[in-house]
Amino acid sequence: MTKTAIAGYMFSNESPESADFYREIVDGLSTLPRTIPPKYFYDEEGSRLFESICEQPEYYPTRTEISLLEKHVDDIRVLAGSDCCLVEPGSGSCEKVRLLLDTLRPTVYVPLDISCEHLKSAAAGIAADYPWLDVHAVCTDITSEVSLSFIPAQATPVMFYPGSSIGNFDPEDAVEFLACLAQIAGRGGGLLIGVDRKKDHEILQQAYNDAGGVTAAFNLNLLERANRELDADFNVDAFEHFASYNSAAGRIEMHLISTRKQTVNIDGHCFDFNAGDSIHTENSYKYTDEEFTTLAEQAGFTPCEIWSDSDGLFSLHFLRVS
Ligand code: AVI
């Protein structure tokens, strides 16, 4: 790990090398069903496209969660306590945390993200806009082990995991990930987490098939990224975005579908596709409040509070490590 002090904030780099992307894409395309892990969506271009998804009219989670954070920030402050350290895994543009900082007044803010350049500029923006705040950014794969030994001993860690990103884990992996958050937070530590609810399938269908084609571009960027970084020769025009709600599994599934018979080369490895063959790129699980609470309890959390919007689209949970 490298550590650097950059104008006003600390930056540590533990990001995965492109060797990991190469290994995981070759492994993922070598077995059926073919997969590419969704963490590789978020290079610079993918992070930019994701921000644009969040602004699409069909993608309700972002604006719904923002209004819940705005409405309940005083209740959140009471639960977080007066000496908290906010840790945000997968912090992205660090926008939502701004809704909390002035009210919670944490001792330290620790954004963690896999996309280093994006993290650097987002952390620098926070450090500039909140000069009283100690910011320590860590570039890391949040699904790997993370050590935050620099957090002051007296501060109560509160993990902030907005955006319903917990839905991108399979339920067993979600429990494992939540257990890691519980371990970082320690006994008495908190978790403020956004969870997308089960709902009318048409609303979900539209949220992942926006009319502007931004989700499609985000999905296809995985192939562009492989071409840019791994000397792959995906013909991106010969794949199509596909997203659909699988009600038996309670999740949106995203795939890239080959539109013709073709062979793709990645640095000497050949992969044959027929028309209609899929690469499964993402699951986005939707949970009732009861289903999510059960997962969180298995990971060692006790539920404290749940806030939801009047249409019942999205929930914000505050939990504490038991
Ligand atoms: C980051 N994550 C919560 C998004 C989701 O809704 O599952 C990623 C996404 N994929 C397509 N649209 C948004």
Side-chain angles (χ1 to χ4, degrees), residues 97-109:
V97 76
R98 290 170 180 266
L99 302 171
L100 301 177
L101 291 174
D102 280 329
T103 306
L104 265 59
R105 288 253 152 189
T107 320
V108 191
Y109 169 54

Side-chain angles (χ1 to χ4, degrees), residues 79-92:
L79 289 164
S82 57
D83 192 3
C84 74
C85 160
L86 262 190
V87 182
E88 183 176 3
S91 51

Side-chain angles (χ1 to χ4, degrees), residues 41-42 50 53 59 61 163-168 196 207-208 215 218 254 282-284 286:
F41 279 131
Y42 301 95
F50 180 64
I53 287 176
Y59 196 74
S164 70
S165 298
I166 195 66
N168 297 133
D196 197 12
Y208 291 83
T215 308
F218 173 73
M254 290 215 313
E282 188 179 60
N283 289 322
S284 191
K286 311 300 168 189

Side-chain angles (χ1 to χ4, degrees), residues 110-155:
V110 184
L112 312 170
D113 207 280
I114 194 168
S115 176
C116 282
E117 290 315 308
H118 200 59
L119 175 66
K120 274 186 192 163
S121 63
I126 295 285
D129 293 345
Y130 300 87
W132 50 267
L133 180 63
D134 188 4
V135 179
H136 192 139
V138 182
C139 185
T140 186
D141 173 0
I142 54 164
T143 56
S144 66
E145 230 168 78
V146 183
S147 150
L148 303 177
S149 48
F150 51 84
I151 293 179
Q154 81 286 356

